[in-house]
Amino acid sequence: MHIKNKQYVPNLIVITSYPEKGKIHGVETVGIASYTKNTLLSILKAAKKIKKNPHIVVLAEQINTEKENIYTDEGMKVYRIWKRGSILTYFQLTSKVLRFWQTKKILIEFELSMFGHYLNLILFPLFLLLLKIFGKEIIFVSHQVVDDIGLISGHIGIEKNSFKADMINVFISFFYRLTLRCVSKVIVFEDYLKEKLSKFIDKEKIVVIPHGVESFKNVVKKDDARKILGLKDEFIILYFGFIAWYKGTDWIVEKIKNEDIKLIIAGGANPNHKDKKFYMNYVKNVTDQAEKTNGNIITTGFVEEKQIPLYFSACNLVVMPYRTLMSSSGPLSLALSFQKPFLISQPMEGIGRTKDFSEIMDKCKIELKDICFDLSDNSFEKKISRLSEKKEFLKGLSTFSKMLNRKRSFEKIGNQYYQEIFL
């Protein structure tokens, strides 16, 4: 399918990772892809309400193909034109953007490993500078904010206080300062991340839009979900998402000792890091440790989109044992989708600073200490024991999740994005 650019002038060009046609979640992409599609669909709905019809072009990575692929998905034109790890990526993106010379607004959904190895980021600020020179208005969505590489050292396979880590931190500082000079506006998901990013850019240019909450169809009841998944009537904790050191997957595997509590690790290897030997060794060590528990800890591998509701419906509690908060949590957003109670680790306390989160905590008479556990002591075990025994407190956390769900629905998030981009 060929599109004549002279006849088709998009109002917005989006540079991002993107899921396969007809899907929101997929094995070949990570959370940024599903988030972006949900966001764009919500923007279109917001525009329709005020009788606007923005034309959106998505410039995405190639998936399962060596050739450029162009198609229409949910009313948006998707061009799969660049490859992760290719030195030609920025040339291909620049060439395509300039073909739509009349389009001024560029939305970039960005995470550090989106284009492949971190060395691929060297040319990224130059790419943005070229777009700025050609008169493009860039709205930059920073899915991650990493100001100290030592906080994710175990995730990328380097020593925390090494010379290499110091050099990477110098590069990060230059990268953010150069990148953010070229953009018109920055969007982050948490006030905590805004504070971190304000070291590199005027705080007035940073907008906080909380991570949207996705809506799922055909959600089954807990007992039915457990029957389908072959699970018994027991207290089930869910860890959802790709296996990762910074997400504390290994930590929670070591912590589950109580035979009356089952842990489900619903996720597999991150496709952006499958080419890294140290990472795949980490994944193998986690799954090997889980297998030694004789079924007390279950690892599922990648969870297909249609099965996501089953695992969330089946569990009693969602747990996020992250070692650092460098981005908003997609699994937390999914927990809110299904109005599930959740616990977060102490390094994630920063999410409590985001306005809507703190407001709803006050309404529910919940404090951060009620939903937060320390990674260095036995507070996790104490909280799990309390929640498994006191159903009324678990119900209170569900109410909190339900209220935050309503506040962060993608419908409301779409309205915010529409205003920030088009108004």
Side-chain angles (χ1 to χ4, degrees):
M1 176 180 176
H2 296 284
I3 301 167
K4 296 179 180 180
N5 294 321
K6 290 183 179 180
Q7 297 178 0
Y8 186 84
V9 180
N11 305 92
L12 178 68
I13 295 173
V14 185
I15 297 172
T16 184
S17 174
Y18 208 68
E20 296 174 78
K21 184 175 182 178
K23 293 185 177 181
I24 299 292
H25 304 269
V27 68
E28 297 294 331
T29 54
V30 296
I32 186 174
S34 56
Y35 174 86
T36 301
K37 187 165 185 180
N38 275 319
T39 300
L40 296 182
L41 291 174
S42 67
I43 289 173
L44 290 175
K45 289 181 181 178
K48 189 175 181 180
K49 287 183 178 180
I50 56 175
K51 297 182 179 180
K52 299 290 185 180
N53 184 30
H55 300 295
I56 298 176
V57 159
V58 177
L59 305 183
E61 78 276 44
Q62 295 179 14
I63 298 178
N64 297 326
T65 179
E66 297 296 324
K67 298 180 180 180
E68 181 175 320
N69 188 18
I70 306 172
Y71 58 87
T72 300
D73 187 18
E74 301 278 2
M76 295 174 284
K77 304 294 184 184
V78 179
Y79 291 73
R80 293 201 174 275
I81 61 170
W82 55 271
K83 289 184 181 181
R84 292 188 70 253
S86 172
I87 60 174
L88 298 176
T89 288
Y90 299 121
F91 171 79
Q92 292 165 327
L93 286 171
T94 302
S95 176
K96 187 64 69 175
V97 168
L98 295 183
R99 288 182 66 185
F100 296 111
W101 60 271
Q102 292 172 282
T103 305
K104 298 299 181 183
K105 295 183 181 293
I106 311 289
L107 178 69
I108 299 180
E109 301 274 354
F110 178 81
E111 70 170 21
L112 292 170
S113 61
M114 188 171 85
F115 294 114
H117 194 276
Y118 298 118
L119 291 176
N120 289 53
L121 296 178
I122 293 175
L123 294 177
F124 185 72
L126 178 60
F127 165 63
L128 295 186
L129 178 60
L130 284 173
L131 297 185
K132 184 178 181 180
I133 290 172
F134 283 107
K136 305 302 181 182
E137 179 185 341
I138 302 169
I139 301 97
F140 185 76
V141 184
S142 185
H143 283 250
Q144 299 164 334
V145 180
V146 180
D147 58 351
D148 181 3
I149 206 68
L151 296 175
I152 59 169
S153 57
H155 181 60
I156 62 175
I158 66 169
E159 294 183 20
K160 185 175 183 179
N161 297 311
S162 64
F163 175 76
K164 184 176 181 180
D166 291 339
M167 290 299 97
I168 292 175
N169 279 336
V170 171
F171 169 75
I172 286 174
S173 179
F174 276 108
F175 173 80
Y176 276 125
R177 292 182 193 281
L178 292 174
T179 294
L180 299 179
R181 281 176 180 267
C182 299
V183 306
S184 303
K185 186 178 298 183
V186 181
I187 295 174
V188 294
F189 305 142
E190 307 286 350
D191 281 294
Y192 171 77
L193 299 178
K194 177 177 180 177
E195 292 170 16
K196 293 180 71 173
L197 207 57
S198 63
K199 293 189 301 183
F200 309 109
I201 187 176
D202 184 353
K203 187 178 288 189
E204 297 301 315
K205 291 178 69 174
I206 307 174
V207 177
V208 177
I209 300 180
H211 195 299
V213 174
E214 185 177 347
S215 178
F216 287 82
K217 299 177 181 178
N218 303 319
V219 179
V220 300
K221 295 181 179 179
K222 182 174 71 174
D223 291 343
D224 294 330
R226 291 189 175 194
K227 186 176 181 180
I228 294 170
L229 295 174
L231 300 170
K232 299 177 181 178
D233 184 18
E234 52 198 335
F235 194 83
I236 297 176
I237 298 172
L238 178 66
Y239 166 101
F240 191 90
F242 295 117
I243 294 172
W245 179 88
Y246 84 89
K247 291 185 175 183
T249 323
D250 59 305
W251 183 91
I252 196 168
V253 166
E254 289 293 330
K255 281 288 182 178
I256 300 299
K257 306 294 184 183
N258 188 337
E259 293 184 358
D260 295 327
I261 295 173
K262 184 180 290 293
L263 169 66
I264 298 177
I265 299 176
N270 186 318
N272 286 352
H273 300 289
K274 284 186 176 181
D275 59 339
K276 300 179 178 74
K277 184 177 179 180
F278 73 87
Y279 172 72
M280 295 309 294
N281 286 338
Y282 173 82
V283 173
K284 185 178 185 303
N285 289 336
V286 168
T287 53
D288 286 348
Q289 286 298 112
E291 288 177 2
K292 293 177 182 178
T293 64
N294 296 318
N296 203 36
I297 300 176
I298 298 172
T299 57
T300 68
F302 175 77
V303 177
E304 294 287 346
E305 187 172 327
K306 63 183 180 181
Q307 287 192 306
I308 292 175
L310 291 177
Y311 284 99
F312 277 93
S313 294
C315 76
N316 298 95
L317 179 72
V318 180
V319 175
M320 286 146 279
Y322 291 21
R323 287 184 165 100
T324 186
L325 180 61
M326 67 174 180
S327 62
S328 188
S329 173
L332 171 58
S333 176
L334 287 171
L336 300 181
S337 293
F338 300 98
Q339 303 172 16
K340 304 299 292 192
F342 61 87
L343 293 181
I344 59 174
S345 59
Q346 181 274 328
M348 294 183 70
E349 279 186 339
I351 67 174
R353 301 180 197 173
T354 302
K355 185 179 178 181
D356 63 342
F357 197 100
S358 60
E359 286 178 348
I360 295 176
M361 276 199 301
D362 289 340
K363 288 181 180 179
C364 294
K365 294 181 171 48
I366 290 176
E367 298 180 29
L368 267 177
K369 65 180 182 179
D370 296 322
I371 61 172
C372 192
F373 58 88
D374 197 309
L375 294 173
S376 61
D377 60 23
N378 62 350
S379 63
F380 174 73
E381 292 93 328
K382 289 181 178 179
K383 280 185 166 55
I384 294 299
S385 177
R386 179 188 179 189
L387 290 171
S388 62
E389 294 172 1
K390 297 184 177 181
K391 306 299 182 183
E392 69 277 4
F393 189 66
L394 201 64
K395 187 177 180 180
L397 293 184
S398 294
T399 300
F400 171 62
S401 186
K402 182 178 182 180
M403 292 178 69
L404 199 53
N405 170 311
R406 292 173 179 171
K407 193 78 170 179
R408 294 186 174 184
S409 69
F410 261 111
E411 181 177 355
K412 293 182 179 179
I413 298 303
N415 290 329
Q416 291 178 266
Y417 267 93
Y418 185 86
Q419 292 178 32
E420 294 296 337
I421 295 171
F422 295 108
L423 301 182

